[in-house]
Amino acid sequence: MSYSKELRIASLAVQRATILTQKVFHEKVKGTLSKDDKSPVTIGDFGAQALIIQAIKYNFPEDEVVGEEEASTLREKPDLTQQIWELVKPTKLGIDKEDSEVEKELGGPLQSPDQMLNAIDAGNSAGGAKGRFWALDPIDGTKGFLRGGQYAVCLALIVDGEVKVGVLGCPNLPVDDKAPLSADISDAGAEKHQRGVLFSAVHGQGATSQPLGTDDLLPHQSIHMKTPSIREATFCESVEAGHSSHNDQAMIAEKLGITKPSVRMDSQAKYGSVARGAGDLYLRLPVSATYVEKIWDHAAGCLIVAEAGGVVTDAEGKDVDFGQGRTLAKNKGIVATPKSLHEEVIGVVKSVLSAKQT
């Protein structure tokens, strides 16, 4: 199956949602509408989820969605619902066109606050190993989003437990696939580059990047992981120490002979950066024995890296299993590398983690 329609609808839906998230950042995070620190993320999350699920349900009405949000709290807060609706209502592709054909492909704008709330609540699938469902993270990397750094709008189609389509919208990553990955990429250092990139992949068909737009999809190009020597590799990790073990990762880098400092950034933008060769390794090692990853935090990124020529496993070298419901219940940690380096990296990861247990 080519999944060509699924890829197009997912890409357009993510692109439309990034328009909303950027609007939320400029109007709310910068303080022009709200002083509540939590409200911009809340509004962006709910609004982006509503827009994406509406597009999915219009085109694939039988498909389920595993979404991060649900609308029960909104139904009890009409003022917050109205704030979100005022931003969602005018958000569309081809805003300068009176009758946008691209917007029609997504089912057109949402028509009412009730329709918006119902769309949000349609993200209640339990997932699992059988059937078709979409995994959605409307704003991945909320702290990056709040400071104007890296965040991503993430959408993946999973069929019988296997990721078939993955799309990442990264509004603050440089468009240029060759832009170097440096410690300031997350914030002001990216200003010298044109920003806003859409990564996508279909299982067995490779991975691509293209600039984010505001109408139809812009031209894309194939992306591929680099295969550097391990000592020259650049590795990415999460900004938040609560998301991955910085100490373990530093020890692994040292044992591998990596001398460059790690690049810390929020969200699945790390997967996109590694997939296009701006970075080389992504390590996300478990911070506790009980922490379980959510599928929407990894599904799209894992496929994009794999289709760009990489390997993604957990910290034990096992395949990442997206058929266990809403979480990666059978996996601990994430290791994404070029194929040629994976065996060496996993060997060091295992030795460092096993040494902690003795």
Side-chain angles (χ1 to χ4, degrees):
M1 186 172 176
S2 71
Y3 294 103
S4 56
K5 181 178 180 182
E6 285 87 345
L7 175 63
R8 177 165 172 79
I9 295 304
S11 299
L12 288 172
V14 167
Q15 181 162 272
R16 181 172 68 170
T18 64
I19 295 171
L20 175 98
T21 62
Q22 290 172 291
K23 190 190 315 182
V24 170
F25 177 77
H26 289 296
E27 294 186 7
K28 289 201 165 288
V29 176
K30 291 189 174 181
T32 57
L33 293 180
S34 173
K35 299 300 182 185
D36 181 350
D37 288 340
K38 294 181 180 178
S39 69
V41 172
T42 304
I43 290 167
D45 268 332
F46 281 123
Q49 178 156 319
L51 287 167
I52 289 174
I53 292 180
Q54 179 248 359
I56 295 299
K57 285 294 189 179
Y58 178 78
N59 284 277
F60 311 106
E62 300 304 312
D63 287 3
E64 296 185 355
V65 181
V66 175
E68 189 176 14
E69 309 298 339
E70 51 90 23
S72 60
T73 55
L74 285 186
R75 296 180 191 279
E76 299 168 1
K77 297 180 179 178
D79 289 348
L80 180 58
T81 298
Q82 188 61 31
Q83 279 191 69
I84 298 168
W85 172 242
E86 291 300 326
L87 286 159
V88 167
K89 181 180 178 181
T91 300
K92 69 174 189 174
L93 295 171
I95 191 72
D96 297 329
K97 298 176 180 177
E98 192 168 324
D99 198 19
S100 170
E101 292 299 320
V102 181
E103 183 65 25
K104 286 181 182 177
E105 285 187 66
L106 299 183
L110 286 156
Q111 296 300 308
S112 69
D114 280 345
Q115 188 186 18
M116 178 185 76
L117 294 174
N118 290 338
I120 293 167
D121 273 339
N124 62 353
S125 172
K130 296 295 182 184
R132 280 173 54 119
F133 64 89
W134 298 80
L136 166 62
D137 192 342
I139 295 182
D140 181 33
T142 53
K143 291 187 177 178
F145 170 72
L146 285 171
R147 68 167 180 273
Q150 295 309 321
Y151 72 98
V153 179
C154 314
L155 182 63
L157 173 64
I158 299 171
V159 181
D160 296 334
E162 189 172 68
V163 186
K164 296 295 187 182
V165 177
V167 177
L168 297 176
C170 302
N172 291 335
L173 269 186
V175 171
D176 184 2
D177 289 332
K178 296 182 177 61
L181 195 62
S182 56
D184 64 359
I185 197 73
S186 288
D187 302 295
E191 291 297 341
K192 59 192 173 203
H193 300 287
Q194 179 189 353
R195 298 204 287 177
V197 60
L198 187 72
F199 297 102
S200 63
V202 175
H203 182 71
Q205 298 179 35
T208 65
S209 75
Q210 62 207 87
L212 278 168
T214 58
D215 195 353
D216 206 344
L217 298 173
L218 295 171
H220 65 264
Q221 60 186 13
S222 295
I223 55 173
H224 306 280
M225 292 192 75
K226 291 188 304 187
T227 52
S229 71
I230 191 68
R231 287 163 185 78
E232 296 173 350
T234 297
F235 89 87
C236 305
E237 60 183 351
S238 299
V239 174
E240 300 299 319
H243 292 168
S244 61
S245 177
H246 289 166
N247 289 339
D248 291 342
Q249 286 154 197
M251 191 178 301
I252 289 163
E254 183 180 353
K255 286 180 176 292
L256 288 168
I258 296 173
T259 57
K260 293 180 184 177
S262 68
V263 177
R264 293 178 179 175
M265 63 169 66
D266 299 280
S267 84
Q268 289 186 64
K270 293 184 286 292
Y271 281 113
S273 296
V274 168
R276 64 177 175 177
D280 304 303
L281 314 175
Y282 168 30
L283 302 178
R284 183 179 173 109
L285 302 185
V287 292
S288 74
T290 56
Y291 183 75
V292 181
E293 301 278 1
K294 306 295 191 297
I295 64 169
W296 53 75
D297 285 329
H298 299 283
C302 282
L303 179 66
I304 289 166
V305 167
E307 289 298 318
V311 177
V312 185
T313 67
D314 69 7
E316 297 175 353
K318 297 188 299 185
D319 289 340
V320 184
D321 186 349
F322 290 98
Q324 296 299 311
R326 294 172 69 90
T327 69
L328 299 178
K330 289 194 172 181
N331 299 107
K332 289 293 182 184
I334 293 288
V335 177
T337 76
K339 285 179 183 175
S340 61
L341 301 181
H342 194 263
E343 186 176 348
E344 182 179 1
V345 173
I346 280 291
V348 173
V349 168
K350 287 181 177 179
S351 71
V352 168
L353 294 184
S354 64
K356 288 179 65 178
Q357 297 169 358
T358 57

